[in-house]
Amino acid sequence: MQWQDRRTLCVHRVRTALAVGGALLAWALAGCAVAPQASPAGGDELPLADALFQPVKVLSPDDLFRLDPIMRAHLERELRSPLRPDPSRPEATTAAHRLVRALGSGGPLRLDYDASRTRTAQETFHERAGHCLSLVILTAAFADAMGLEVRFHSVPSAETWEQQGDLQFHVGHVNLALSTRPRSGGSAVWDEWLLVDFLPGADLRRQRHDPLTRERVVAMFMNNRAAEHLAQGQLDAAYAWAAQSLRQDPAFAGAANTLGVVYLRRGEPAWAERALRHALRQAQDDDSARAHAWGNLALALQRQGREEEAQRARAEWQRWQPVVPFADLRAAQEAMRQGEWDRARRRVQRELTRMPDQHELHYWLAVALVNLGQNAQAALHLDRAIAQASSRPPAEVYARKRQALQDRR
């Protein structure tokens, strides 16, 4: 976790303090074609088809930030006591600083960064782990209870990609800022903020931060849950979470896009088209979201037998997404199956130039290097894969591979 103070003259002039989190947007999948269907009627209303899915209970927005009795006791014990002055930073004695230090690696919570799933504030607290979005929600929950003002931001420069099976996920980044003055009513001018970012290695000085509403943060959480259930093939739960995300924030293109993918998986391409066109209407200022929606829309149109329209949609997708994520990795894996290890190495390295922090790419480069007899270089990339893994399971796999390589020496 990193933090820094930033002072601004006016709330409306500066996108100040930040804190990080991840949001997943599922896009482009492959599958069997289904018979063409007529598009459902309707125009501007939300593209929801509850009758196609079994009901699944989801959390309310308040559930995400709710403190339980153990957390409230921790708040009283650890966060309301005076902060010991730091001679090197005499100004860093506010409640916001106290909260940030408590959440840091040396604080009483000792939170770990783990992106295996999206957690509520309570889950993050009790499991002592979470990814950026979960850690931001936990921080905001404590800040609310301490009477601190909170601002949320997205960080476009930290976006990356992940894949699971035939799904790809665009992973965004969020962070937050805490006011160093106590809340004093709606008319207060907030001009002193503490920037907090939970992404390992984040450079706060060079980040661009875009403001997010609390409603959008909640919608991101619900969209994450939808994507996680989608990756596990749990379509009823994926629909429930995506639908709730869109109800929470109808302008969130990511939720409409995820909903479109859920419909595609359920074999409802006409409903998918409707959801994806809603995503396109909401994504006018977001090139990434526009690309995701066009790519999925091409598939929805193809599955309805509308090939000419699908081709136009694919052209739009290529316009907004000229480089397909993981295309070079797939080519590298095909080269590996053919025993062409040097070609595989080159293709993975090319993918790495675009996503240098993607742990899976370092792993596959290590595989190619081992088969080229370059064990020392392979070990370096396995070390990077371990360091950059976003959750414990892949990190443990990479560590076992690294140990096996060490044992061969």
Side-chain angles (χ1 to χ4, degrees):
M1 178 180 70
Q2 299 187 48
W3 59 276
Q4 73 177 56
D5 287 303
R6 178 172 296 178
R7 298 175 187 273
T8 62
L9 298 178
C10 174
V11 167
H12 304 290
R13 287 181 54 192
V14 184
R15 298 169 184 156
T16 56
L18 315 170
V20 177
L24 306 179
L25 308 180
W27 78 291
L29 63 155
C32 301
V34 298
Q37 304 175 22
S39 295
D44 294 333
E45 68 271 17
L46 295 181
L48 303 179
D50 294 351
L52 297 175
F53 300 87
Q54 294 296 317
V56 174
K57 185 177 180 180
V58 300
L59 300 176
S60 72
D62 289 342
D63 291 332
L64 276 59
F65 299 92
R66 182 171 287 115
L67 303 184
D68 63 20
I70 295 177
M71 297 171 73
R72 291 193 178 279
H74 178 85
L75 174 68
E76 295 298 325
R77 183 177 63 253
E78 301 289 346
L79 300 180
R80 293 201 189 278
S81 58
L83 189 65
R84 183 178 301 172
D86 181 348
S88 64
R89 297 179 66 90
E91 79 285 1
T93 58
T94 69
H97 290 89
R98 191 157 57 243
L99 174 56
V100 169
R101 291 188 185 180
L103 296 173
S105 59
L109 286 180
R110 294 181 176 83
L111 298 169
D112 292 331
Y113 188 91
D114 177 68
S116 57
R117 66 187 185 91
T118 305
R119 297 168 170 89
T120 65
Q122 290 185 28
E123 291 168 337
T124 303
F125 179 88
H126 291 291
E127 297 174 27
R128 297 295 195 266
H131 58 39
C132 300
L133 183 57
S134 299
L135 294 168
V136 162
I137 288 172
L138 173 64
T139 305
F142 276 126
D144 290 344
M146 296 171 70
L148 301 176
E149 190 77 1
V150 177
R151 288 183 181 169
F152 302 97
H153 304 81
S154 64
V155 186
S157 62
E159 295 174 351
T160 186
W161 290 87
E162 293 181 358
Q163 61 179 358
Q164 294 186 45
D166 59 356
L167 286 172
Q168 292 184 345
F169 299 94
H170 183 248
V171 184
H173 183 61
V174 300
N175 63 22
L176 84 172
L178 304 174
S179 172
T180 59
R181 294 183 179 181
R183 185 177 293 147
S184 59
S187 62
V189 176
W190 301 98
D191 59 358
E192 296 181 8
W193 297 85
L194 184 66
L195 280 66
V196 187
D197 197 309
F198 293 97
L199 189 65
D203 185 350
L204 298 183
R205 293 169 299 179
R206 299 183 181 181
Q207 283 182 349
R208 181 189 119 199
H209 309 114
D210 296 335
L212 294 173
T213 64
R214 186 173 291 243
E215 289 76 18
R216 177 58 58 87
V217 170
V218 172
M220 286 179 167
F221 176 97
M222 294 175 173
N223 186 62
N224 273 21
R225 284 285 180 94
E228 290 160 7
H229 286 293
L230 181 63
Q232 297 168 12
Q234 300 168 352
L235 295 186
D236 292 327
Y239 172 80
W241 282 102
Q244 188 70 1
S245 177
L246 201 56
R247 292 187 184 102
Q248 171 73 17
D249 187 350
F252 185 25
N257 183 77
T258 301
L259 189 63
V261 178
V262 173
Y263 285 138
L264 283 170
R265 278 283 166 92
R266 182 46 63 92
E268 298 287 346
W271 275 104
E273 178 187 355
R274 187 174 175 184
L276 294 164
R277 291 196 185 281
H278 180 88
L280 285 171
R281 288 193 294 272
Q282 307 305 321
Q284 295 305 310
D285 298 324
D286 188 336
D287 292 350
S288 294
R290 196 179 325 197
H292 308 154
W294 277 118
N296 284 326
L297 180 59
L299 183 55
L301 293 168
Q302 180 184 11
R303 291 186 177 185
Q304 295 178 77
R306 297 154 62 185
E307 186 56 43
E308 189 172 322
E309 294 176 77
Q311 288 180 2
R312 289 197 292 270
R314 279 192 289 271
E316 287 293 326
W317 170 52
Q318 291 169 356
R319 173 188 172 194
W320 297 106
Q321 185 83 58
V323 179
V324 179
F326 298 107
D328 279 308
L329 176 59
R330 288 192 290 273
Q333 291 169 331
E334 179 59 32
M336 291 178 188
R337 284 189 285 270
Q338 298 173 10
E340 300 179 13
W341 297 104
D342 191 58
R343 181 163 70 92
R345 174 189 60 80
R346 293 196 303 272
R347 296 304 290 265
V348 180
Q349 285 177 327
R350 191 160 80 171
E351 194 81 78
L352 265 172
T353 62
R354 295 187 289 270
M355 293 185 283
D357 298 328
Q358 223 291 333
H359 58 89
E360 187 181 6
L361 297 178
H362 285 286
Y363 167 73
W364 284 109
L365 181 55
V367 171
L369 291 169
V370 166
N371 283 275
L372 289 169
Q374 301 177 27
N375 289 0
Q377 286 297 313
L380 290 176
H381 284 283
L382 284 173
D383 288 339
R384 292 178 187 173
I386 294 168
Q388 294 169 355
S390 55
S391 60
R392 296 187 187 104
E396 291 170 354
V397 171
Y398 302 148
R400 288 196 296 270
K401 299 289 186 182
R402 178 67 172 85
Q403 186 59 50
L405 186 61
Q406 181 71 26
D407 293 343
R408 291 170 56 179
R409 294 183 179 180

